[in-house]
Amino acid sequence: MPYRIAVAGATGYAGGEILRLLLGHPHYQSGEMEIGALTGASNAGQPVAELMPQLVELSDRVIEDTTVEVLAGHDVVFLGLPHGHSAAIGAALDEDTLVIDCAADFRLRDAEQWQHYYGSEHAGSWPYGIPEMPGHREALANSRRIAVPGCFPTGGTLAILPAVAGGLVEPDLAITSITGVSGAGKKANVSLLGAETMGSLKAYNTSGKHRHTPEFEQNLAEYTDKDVTISFTPVLAPLPRGILTTATAPLVDGVDQEAATATYRAFYDDEPFVHLLGAGQQPQTQNIVGSNMCHVQVEVDERSGRLLMTSAIDNLTKGTAGAAVQCMNIALGNEETAGLPRVGVTP
C-alpha cells in the first residue's frame, strides 16, 4: 500500500512548495506515495486549478477544511499553518502519524523564550529539523513529530555552525539576513505591496526583536560551552525568494584562512545540500532559487580580526518546504535526497 500524505495550509507559499516537491518525488512517480487531503481555511471549497495553477497534476482537486477529521488516517501530515495553530492538531493526530510542522510552535525548548517572543503558552518542543546539525539526523530518524526550522536560522546556522563548533571564533555574532518578501507568507499586508517594496530595502524587527533570534542562540549553544550572543538584523528586499546571510565574529588566536577553509570543508564534505564555494566566490541568491541547496563561504578578515561567514538559501525550499521533505525522507527511511533538487533555476 502506498503511504498517504496530507498538506494543511496547502494554498500558502510553504504548502504550495511542499506540493511542488512531492510531485517530483520518485515515490510519487512510482506510485509508492499518494497525495491525500489538501486543506486550507479561507480557501476551503475552492479548486486547486484556480488557486495554484502551477500544480497541473492536482488541478482536479478541491481544498478541504483544516480539521483533525480530514487529516486523520494519513501516514504523513505537513502543517503549513500560522504560528499557534499546530499544537492542537499535532496533539489530536495518531502518535504513529508523521507530523511535520513548518510553523514555530515546537522549535524552541525554552518556555520563557517562547512566551517572550510569541506571547502564548508553550506547547513543548519536537526534534529540530536541520539534519546537518550533528546529532539531529539521528533524532529525526526515530521521530514521528518534527519541527521545521525558521528560514533565517536555517541559512544562518549553516553559515556559522562549523566556526562555532570548531572553535574558530568567539560566539559573539553579528548577523544580517537579506530576504525576499515570500518569507512573510501569502497574506494581505500593506508593507508587502509591490509599491512599498520595489526599489527599496528595509530593516525590520531589529535589536533582538525578531522571533528567530532565540532559535539562533539555541542552535549554536548546542556546540559550545561559551555564552552565545546574537545581534540579528533582518532586511526586506524586493525579491520573491532567497535569503543572503552574512555573519561576523571575533577570531580565536591562530586561526588563518587555511584553517577556516579546512574546518568548513571537513564539516560539510559529506552533506548533499551544503556547498562550500571556492576561494574568491560569494554566495548569490540567484544560484539557489528552486533548489534545496545552501551555498556557503568563509573568509578571514585579518585587518579586523574577525571571521566572515556567508550563506544563500531559497527561503521556500531549503528554508521551509525542502527542509520538511528532507526531514520526511529521513524519518521514513527514504533516500534523504529523494525529490529534492540540488540545481537552482537561473537567471
Side-chain angles (χ1 to χ4, degrees):
M1 288 285 292
Y3 59 95
R4 299 183 71 242
I5 294 178
V7 179
T11 61
Y13 288 139
E17 184 76 349
I18 288 171
L19 290 170
R20 178 181 77 88
L21 297 172
L22 292 179
L23 289 170
H25 197 288
H27 285 189
Y28 177 79
Q29 300 292 332
S30 68
E32 297 170 80
M33 172 203 299
E34 288 183 359
I35 297 176
L38 309 179
T39 80
S42 59
N43 297 125
Q46 297 183 54
V48 170
E50 293 181 8
L51 297 169
M52 297 180 287
Q54 76 275 18
L55 302 177
V56 175
E57 293 183 55
L58 302 175
S59 60
D60 61 338
R61 307 288 291 278
V62 174
I63 300 300
E64 302 179 65
D65 287 317
T66 300
T67 66
V68 172
E69 291 73 21
V70 170
L71 298 173
H74 292 81
D75 299 290
V76 182
V77 176
F78 290 100
L79 300 178
L81 305 173
H83 303 316
H85 290 72
S86 301
I89 292 176
L93 290 173
D94 189 271
E95 63 181 14
D96 291 329
T97 302
L98 174 58
V99 183
I100 301 175
D101 184 25
C102 295
D105 293 34
F106 298 99
R107 293 173 186 163
L108 297 180
R109 293 190 291 270
D110 189 313
E112 290 186 8
Q113 291 274 40
W114 170 268
Q115 290 162 1
H116 174 76
Y117 281 93
Y118 293 91
S120 61
E121 184 177 353
H122 186 231
S125 63
W126 292 352
Y128 186 80
I130 297 183
E132 294 83 4
M133 293 173 64
H136 283 237
R137 189 172 272 113
E138 293 76 13
L140 296 170
N142 295 304
S143 179
R144 282 299 175 265
R145 297 291 188 271
I146 293 172
V148 175
C151 52
F152 287 130
T154 296
T157 298
L158 293 175
I160 298 164
L161 184 56
V164 170
L168 303 181
V169 297
E170 298 296 336
D172 178 14
L173 293 136
I175 306 170
T176 300
S177 292
I178 302 170
T179 182
V181 295
S182 62
K186 188 189 290 186
K187 59 180 179 289
N189 188 321
V190 171
S191 67
L192 300 176
L193 292 173
E196 300 292 328
T197 58
M198 287 188 297
S200 180
L201 297 171
K202 179 180 72 172
Y204 66 100
N205 287 342
T206 54
S207 301
K209 293 189 286 292
H210 197 281
R211 290 171 166 181
H212 287 175
T213 301
E215 258 187 89
F216 276 115
E217 294 171 346
Q218 175 178 281
N219 292 355
L220 298 173
E222 284 190 39
Y223 303 98
T224 178
D225 294 329
K226 299 179 180 178
D227 291 336
V228 175
T229 57
I230 302 289
S231 175
F232 175 50
T233 304
V235 177
L236 187 68
L239 305 168
R241 293 172 177 245
I243 296 177
L244 180 71
T245 295
T246 64
T248 67
L251 281 163
V252 170
D253 289 344
V255 174
D256 59 13
Q257 184 64 54
E258 183 178 358
T261 300
T263 297
Y264 272 67
R265 185 175 292 118
F267 201 92
Y268 287 135
D269 193 46
D270 295 325
E271 291 295 343
F273 296 118
V274 183
H275 176 55
L276 179 64
L277 296 175
Q281 288 184 287
Q282 276 294 329
Q284 299 183 63
T285 57
Q286 68 174 356
N287 295 328
I288 47 74
V289 172
S291 82
N292 200 51
M293 293 300 298
C294 178
H295 287 188
V296 173
Q297 184 56 281
V298 59
E299 290 184 291
V300 169
D301 184 343
E302 295 180 355
R303 185 178 182 192
S304 69
R306 298 181 72 85
L307 190 68
L308 171 64
M309 301 150 280
T310 313
S311 71
I313 63 168
D314 184 326
N315 57 291
L316 292 181
T317 315
K318 183 58 173 169
T320 309
V325 173
Q326 186 178 351
C327 290
M328 177 196 76
N329 286 336
I330 293 170
L332 294 181
N334 298 339
E335 181 70 31
E336 185 173 335
T337 58
L340 295 169
R342 299 181 72 239
V343 178
V345 178
T346 185

